[in-house]
Amino acid sequence: MAAELVEAKNMVMSFRVSDLQMLLGFVGRSKSGLKHELVTRALQLVQFDCSPELFKKIKELYETRYAKKSAEPGPQAPRPLDPLALHSMPRTPLSGPTVDYPVLYGKYLNGLGRLPTKTLKPEVRLVKLPFFNMLDELLKPTELVPQSAEKLQESPCIFALTPRQVEMIRNSRELQPGVKAVQVVLRICYSDTSCPQEDQYPPNIAVKVNHSYCSVPGYYPSNKPGVEPKRPCRPINLTHLMYLSSATNRITVTWGNYGKSYSVALYLVRQLTSSDLLQRLKTIGVKHPELCKALVKEKLRLDPDSEIATTGVRVSLICPLVKMRLSVPCRAETCAHLQCFDAVFYL
């Protein structure tokens, strides 16, 4: 039954507007609306009420559509997409304004989706952030491709959350009023496949979710003459502007096209607080006292090339970050110094 359900969803996602209207009319549902609304309605029908008669009708419409296509000269009709193959698909550019958006539950596929090819390009990867636990990948890193010679470009996408994902967001605790722990975040980086990329915004960035603009971190002014102001580039939380239902969400990224290539990605994440991170650090990051003693002895070891013998090492019990007494001494694993900082204030 699960295989039939997947097959039915695949066929529905390949339908045109006329096919979707015939299918919805067959079960007495509304046939009005844009294509992405019809797709969403049909997918809900398959998910929650897929009777043998409905499956037979879907198969009949699919075979009728592509039997006609195969009889005509020209490109072969597209086969339905296998959700299990989505992670192996090559990256496809976010297209310009269009109406025919395929909509996937919990996944995004833009209007220029292609089937997998034999030679796959290396994919853009983003660095793993310690402040989030990633729950789902809603959109793989996808390149922003300019659609004209204009400097200011717009790249839209449409996707729907699954009922499970909606429940995860709704049932998560509030970190602060109006901010849920489980979030849908947008990340942007350079389209560089040589190594994992840090978040990096393009010039003139603006993010619109459905009908409202989302706030994006601004620039920090610099006090030094001739030094450009810096902008903290971090994941952008879109959750508060999204429809937490079966309705589709439209996200539009406005960006400046000045030669550099950028990619965007969407993730469902659980944001961690500083208390969560401190508890994790205490659980997995405590070093054995003997390792610390060995580090001190290494510092005191006699250097044959030096005429001066080190007989003591001074360290401060004051955190260099906040100038207060250390409560949870902390040091990076890669650091060779003995001086610590306070983990609580650092996090």
Side-chain angles (χ1 to χ4, degrees):
M1 182 61 188
E4 287 186 353
L5 196 64
V6 171
E7 185 183 359
K9 286 183 179 180
N10 288 340
M11 288 190 284
V12 165
M13 287 187 290
S14 68
F15 281 175
R16 293 187 176 180
V17 171
S18 57
D19 302 320
L20 294 166
Q21 289 174 337
M22 289 180 68
L23 177 63
L24 293 169
F26 174 74
V27 293
R29 298 291 179 90
S30 172
K31 300 186 289 183
S32 61
L34 298 176
K35 181 177 180 180
H36 68 269
E37 295 170 338
L38 299 178
V39 172
T40 303
R41 213 172 296 151
L43 285 174
Q44 286 177 329
L45 195 64
V46 173
Q47 179 72 29
F48 302 110
D49 189 24
C50 192
S51 61
E53 294 78 14
L54 180 66
F55 182 76
K56 183 179 178 182
K57 184 65 176 178
I58 293 172
K59 201 167 183 180
E60 178 187 317
L61 287 170
Y62 177 78
E63 289 175 350
T64 303
R65 163 69 60 188
Y66 291 116
K68 290 179 181 178
K69 281 272 190 179
S70 58
E72 297 173 0
Q76 188 176 354
R79 296 173 57 194
L81 293 170
D82 178 5
L84 299 178
L86 284 175
H87 287 289
S88 65
M89 288 176 64
R91 289 182 294 112
T92 54
L94 285 171
S95 66
T98 179
V99 175
D100 291 343
Y101 290 104
V103 180
L104 302 184
Y105 275 83
K107 299 284 181 185
Y108 161 80
L109 185 67
N110 61 53
L112 298 180
R114 306 182 194 127
L115 291 173
T117 57
K118 291 183 179 179
T119 56
L120 297 178
K121 292 170 61 178
E123 292 190 348
V124 174
R125 295 166 295 147
L126 285 118
V127 296
K128 184 179 178 181
L129 296 177
F131 315 107
F132 300 103
N133 284 340
M134 193 174 80
L135 306 176
D136 273 322
E137 186 178 56
L138 305 177
L139 166 64
K140 280 190 163 191
T142 306
E143 191 172 353
L144 292 171
V145 176
Q147 300 298 308
S148 66
E150 298 293 327
K151 289 299 180 185
L152 204 61
Q153 299 284 328
E154 278 193 357
S155 298
C157 70
I158 289 179
F159 75 100
L161 294 169
T162 65
R164 180 184 68 86
Q165 292 165 343
V166 170
E167 284 304 306
M168 289 174 67
I169 296 172
R170 285 180 173 169
N171 296 335
S172 64
R173 63 193 175 101
E174 284 196 341
L175 302 177
Q176 52 184 292
V179 180
K180 291 284 191 178
V182 175
Q183 306 168 1
V184 174
V185 298
L186 175 74
R187 298 186 66 183
I188 308 177
C189 66
Y190 288 130
S191 298
D192 184 353
T193 59
S194 61
C195 62
Q197 297 295 301
E198 295 185 354
D199 293 69
Q200 184 65 50
Y201 298 157
N204 308 117
I205 181 176
V207 180
K208 189 176 182 180
V209 182
N210 296 318
H211 304 292
S212 303
Y213 280 96
C214 185
S215 61
V216 178
Y219 287 92
Y220 288 151
S222 174
N223 296 326
K224 298 180 180 178
V227 177
E228 293 185 2
K230 292 185 178 180
R231 183 180 216 168
C233 299
R234 54 176 178 262
I236 303 170
N237 182 10
L238 311 179
T239 320
H240 60 292
L241 297 176
M242 296 183 62
Y243 301 134
L244 296 182
S245 64
S246 58
T248 55
N249 292 276
R250 180 185 178 92
I251 298 172
T252 304
V253 179
T254 304
W255 50 285
N257 178 26
Y258 293 95
K260 289 187 177 179
S261 181
Y262 295 85
S263 291
V264 300
L266 283 171
Y267 301 102
L268 185 71
V269 302
R270 187 185 303 277
Q271 183 176 339
L272 302 174
T273 64
S274 58
S275 300
D276 297 330
L277 292 170
L278 180 62
Q279 188 56 45
R280 179 184 293 182
L281 190 63
K282 288 181 175 180
T283 303
I284 64 174
V286 177
K287 296 297 182 185
H288 195 277
E290 292 301 322
L291 293 175
C292 298
K293 289 180 182 179
L295 184 60
V296 173
K297 289 177 181 178
E298 180 68 24
K299 294 287 183 183
L300 296 175
R301 193 174 61 178
L302 180 64
D303 184 358
D305 297 330
S306 175
E307 296 179 356
I308 302 174
T310 305
T311 57
V313 179
R314 284 178 72 96
V315 293
S316 175
L317 297 181
I318 301 298
C319 174
L321 299 175
V322 292
K323 306 303 179 185
M324 293 174 64
R325 187 180 178 88
L326 294 167
S327 59
V328 183
C330 185
R331 182 176 58 241
E333 284 188 339
T334 54
C335 183
H337 297 95
L338 295 177
Q339 180 64 53
C340 295
F341 53 86
D342 192 277
V344 177
F345 289 111
Y346 178 78
L347 291 172

